[in-house]
Amino acid sequence: KERCNTNRSMACAVDAHLRRRKAGVEREGKEENREKEGWDAVAKKARSDGFGLPRAPKLSSTQAKSVECKVPSPKKSNAERVDREHVDEAVSLLKERLLAGKVEETGAVLGSATLQSLRKKLHDLLTSTIETGYNNSILLLGPRGTGKTLVLEKVLENLEKEHEKDGESPVAIVRVNGMVHSEERVALREIARQLCDRHNIPFSKGSSFDDNLAFLNDIMRELKGHRACIFVLDEFDAFATRPKQTLLYNLLDAMQTSNVQASLVGISSRHDCLELLEKRVRSRFSHRKLLFSSPPPADPSGMIIQLLKLPTDPALNNVNYVQRFNRALTQAATSPAVRKMLDRLFDCNCSPRHACNIAVQVLCKMNREEGIITSKDFLAIGEGMLVETHVEVIKGLSVLELYMLVAMCRLEQKERESPNFEEVYAQYEEGQLTNTSGSSDRFSRVAAYRAFENLLALELVAFADGTRVVLKRYRPATLLVGQQELHAALQAHPKATPFLKRWLSHEHVGNTAGHF
């Protein structure tokens, strides 16, 4: 009985505790609701009276971050909004133009007077082969990237369009490369394969060299009067350096007959290609050459603008974006800082390929979110392309090594282009006679020779002769650093003395009556 009374009292105590706890929770909830209603009433009254809201209670860090995240960002105007699809479409179009060989559409490369003249000469020469059956052979010579292949491909494209009849072109173009087709039999087999594909003839991979040669002569005779063959031999010098030059001889020999209608166009960066030919091959070549060079453009900024300018035709749907892109491009490319940077880039290399490389890098730097090219994009690629390795190396040289470089530079200014170490050290001593700055820059001959050897190891100086019989100190050497690079390095060198800078800039500094 006592145990039952105890259990009943404990159960009553637990029930009372739960009732009190529930009443406390309800009371706290009512107070919170009352406080919230009070704040709402105060805010409503403040709005009705025209006053600002009262100071809100202090928020915790988590609540503050959540409020900050909900702050709306400033909206762009309709003119500044850029659709990502339009940006991607424009970038794809420009990449296809720059990387797929379609830059001639802009007129930026082929618009120069020099390339237009060469293009007309090549066009007239190949037209005579197609229309009158006059066989020709010609070489396109010039440094890499000067537009040789670009001009040739444009001429061939125009010839196919001009002479097309009933949907068929009267021109059969065969292309081989001296670097790819490294053997005569491989090159001849490739020529036979292309001719078979062009005329829907079965091709046998197991044909021998003689079989392919006989097939070549037969099909060229059969095509007389119906279709002209134009053989394009890229890397022509590779064919000319092979023993016997069998492929060149057979092609040129077949073109000597009247029952063949063909032309041979060779492309090379070597100007001595004709001298590499054997006598029997050279006698059958027509000795025509077109020399390509890379003259600096009159307006580098205008050339880059033409390469990156979006077309206004219906190729792109958003006309407003095209106008905004072209306007921003023109503004960025014509700014003074960008003009100066482009002039320096084109002073180093003014070939059409280099211009396309600059345009591609600028396009890659463009911010896709903004969708336009800015001057920052131009200057960013300029910092990477204008890094002068010699300047960076010279910044880490000692003072004595700087004196050796400046002495060699001064000797070159005096038309002594290949001085030896003894002459360089004599020029250094002569300069020290007029050094009144008080700096102790006098070094022994042994130390100077060690510095000269270090310059040779860094490839800032190189020997001008190929012999090693003479002692190093008497061998003629050539300075591999330009005066502008040396001047820029001295201005940035932390230990270059004022006298050393003046000695490089002024010719009269360091000249004495006893100078040889």
Side-chain angles (χ1 to χ4, degrees):
K1 186 177 180 179
E2 292 178 359
R3 188 180 299 118
C4 291
N5 293 334
T6 304
N7 293 338
R8 191 181 296 110
S9 61
M10 290 177 63
C12 294
V14 171
D15 292 339
H17 175 73
L18 291 175
R19 285 195 299 271
R20 286 195 301 272
R21 186 173 180 182
K22 183 177 180 180
V25 170
E26 291 178 354
R27 187 168 49 256
E28 290 178 0
K30 291 181 181 179
E31 291 177 357
E32 289 181 359
N33 292 335
R34 193 180 301 110
E35 183 179 0
K36 183 178 180 181
E37 292 175 358
W39 276 105
D40 292 342
V42 171
K44 185 176 181 180
K45 186 175 184 306
R47 291 193 191 97
S48 61
D49 296 341
F51 297 101
L53 292 174
R55 186 174 180 181
K58 187 176 180 181
L59 301 177
S60 63
S61 58
T62 305
Q63 293 173 338
K65 289 182 180 179
S66 63
V67 173
E68 290 176 358
C69 295
K70 295 179 182 178
V71 176
S73 58
K75 295 183 179 180
K76 295 183 178 179
S77 62
N78 294 331
E80 295 180 351
R81 290 177 184 173
V82 178
D83 191 349
R84 188 60 181 266
E85 294 182 359
H86 295 151
V87 176
D88 295 340
E89 186 180 0
V91 171
S92 299
L93 189 146
L94 293 175
K95 284 186 177 180
E96 183 181 3
R97 175 195 297 173
L98 297 171
L99 301 178
K102 297 184 178 181
V103 294
E104 68 272 5
E105 299 175 357
T106 64
V109 177
L110 294 177
S112 64
T114 304
L115 291 182
Q116 287 287 359
S117 175
L118 295 173
R119 176 183 173 183
K120 184 178 183 304
K121 291 180 181 179
L122 183 60
H123 184 275
D124 295 342
L125 190 70
L126 297 180
T127 301
S128 64
T129 301
I130 299 172
E131 296 180 352
T132 64
Y134 186 77
N135 298 337
N136 295 295
S137 55
I138 188 172
L139 284 177
L140 310 183
L141 305 177
R144 300 185 185 277
T146 51
K148 302 184 295 296
T149 305
L150 182 65
V151 170
L152 176 60
E153 294 299 330
K154 190 62 177 178
V155 169
L156 294 177
E157 180 183 349
N158 292 339
L159 289 175
E160 289 183 330
K161 292 180 180 179
E162 292 172 2
H163 299 87
E164 185 178 359
K165 295 180 180 179
D166 299 331
E168 293 185 2
S169 174
V171 183
I173 304 172
V174 180
R175 295 178 174 87
V176 288
N177 191 300
M179 302 297 291
V180 178
H181 309 99
S182 56
E183 297 180 4
E184 301 286 294
R185 60 180 182 84
V186 177
L188 186 58
R189 183 174 59 190
E190 177 63 19
I191 292 174
R193 186 194 65 80
Q194 293 185 29
L195 289 174
C196 289
D197 293 344
R198 184 69 173 80
H199 302 93
N200 299 323
I201 301 174
F203 172 70
S204 176
K205 296 182 179 180
S207 301
S208 63
F209 183 87
D210 296 335
D211 295 338
N212 290 330
L213 184 59
F215 167 77
L216 176 62
N217 293 327
D218 293 340
I219 195 172
M220 289 176 66
R221 283 193 295 267
E222 292 293 332
L223 292 176
K224 171 67 176 179
H226 303 283
R227 185 169 289 170
C229 294
I230 299 178
F231 298 95
V232 179
L233 275 63
D234 205 351
E235 302 294 342
F236 183 84
D237 52 291
F239 293 102
T241 54
R242 294 172 186 171
K244 297 183 179 180
Q245 302 174 1
T246 308
L247 178 65
L248 295 178
Y249 173 76
N250 285 281
L251 286 176
L252 294 173
D253 186 64
M255 292 167 55
Q256 301 302 313
T257 61
S258 60
N259 56 356
V260 172
Q261 186 179 359
S263 287
L264 186 145
V265 181
I267 305 175
S268 177
S269 58
R270 292 185 59 172
H271 289 266
D272 59 343
C273 283
L274 289 178
E275 287 73 15
L276 298 175
L277 298 177
E278 293 182 356
K279 185 177 180 180
R280 61 171 186 163
V281 179
R282 193 185 304 120
S283 62
R284 289 166 171 78
F285 197 83
S286 58
H287 293 267
R288 290 187 178 90
K289 295 188 294 185
L290 291 181
L291 301 179
F292 287 72
S293 60
S294 54
D299 186 14
S301 299
M303 188 174 185
I304 298 298
I305 291 174
Q306 289 184 357
L307 289 174
L308 292 173
K309 191 174 182 180
L310 290 177
T312 55
D313 55 8
L316 295 175
N317 298 326
N318 194 339
V319 180
N320 295 330
Y321 170 68
V322 172
Q323 295 176 354
R324 179 168 172 258
F325 180 91
N326 293 337
R327 186 167 55 251
L329 172 64
T330 305
Q331 183 179 359
T334 54
S335 63
V338 174
R339 279 184 175 275
K340 184 178 179 180
M341 184 269 296
L342 290 177
D343 290 339
R344 291 185 62 189
L345 288 177
F346 278 90
D347 286 341
C348 302
N349 187 353
C350 52
S351 64
R353 182 180 299 174
H354 185 60
C356 292
N357 291 339
I358 294 175
V360 169
Q361 294 192 42
V362 172
L363 185 62
C364 294
K365 287 288 184 180
M366 184 185 74
N367 187 355
R368 295 290 185 93
E369 299 297 332
E370 297 180 0
I372 59 173
I373 295 177
T374 62
S375 57
K376 293 181 180 179
D377 302 330
F378 281 96
L379 298 177
I381 66 110
E383 294 176 358
M385 299 182 70
L386 290 174
V387 174
E388 299 175 351
T389 55
H390 284 165
V391 174
E392 298 298 325
V393 173
I394 294 174
K395 288 181 181 179
L397 297 181
S398 63
V399 176
L400 179 56
E401 291 166 346
L402 294 177
Y403 270 108
M404 293 290 103
L405 290 177
V406 174
M408 291 191 70
C409 185
R410 288 176 59 83
L411 289 175
E412 284 189 353
Q413 295 174 1
K414 299 172 184 178
E415 299 182 356
R416 185 69 178 90
E417 296 182 356
S418 299
N420 56 34
F421 165 74
E422 295 297 335
E423 293 173 331
V424 174
Y425 187 74
Q427 178 71 16
Y428 159 72
E429 286 187 327
E430 181 182 350
Q432 290 301 316
L433 294 177
T434 58
N435 186 2
T436 58
S437 60
S439 59
S440 56
D441 295 337
R442 299 181 183 273
F443 300 91
S444 64
R445 187 184 300 270
V446 177
Y449 185 69
R450 294 289 179 86
F452 188 78
E453 287 183 330
N454 190 26
L455 296 178
L456 289 170
L458 294 174
E459 296 184 354
L460 298 175
V461 177
F463 288 120
D465 60 342
T467 179
R468 295 182 176 273
V469 178
V470 188
L471 295 176
K472 283 186 179 182
R473 62 178 65 247
Y474 297 107
R475 291 178 61 184
T478 304
L479 182 63
L480 303 180
V481 182
Q483 184 177 2
Q484 294 182 353
E485 292 178 319
L486 186 56
H487 178 75
L490 287 181
Q491 298 300 324
H493 200 284
K495 296 183 180 180
T497 61
F499 170 78
L500 186 58
K501 298 176 182 178
R502 293 196 308 271
W503 197 39
L504 174 65
S505 302
H506 303 286
E507 178 67 23
H508 65 277
V509 176
N511 288 345
T512 60
H515 178 65
F516 56 87

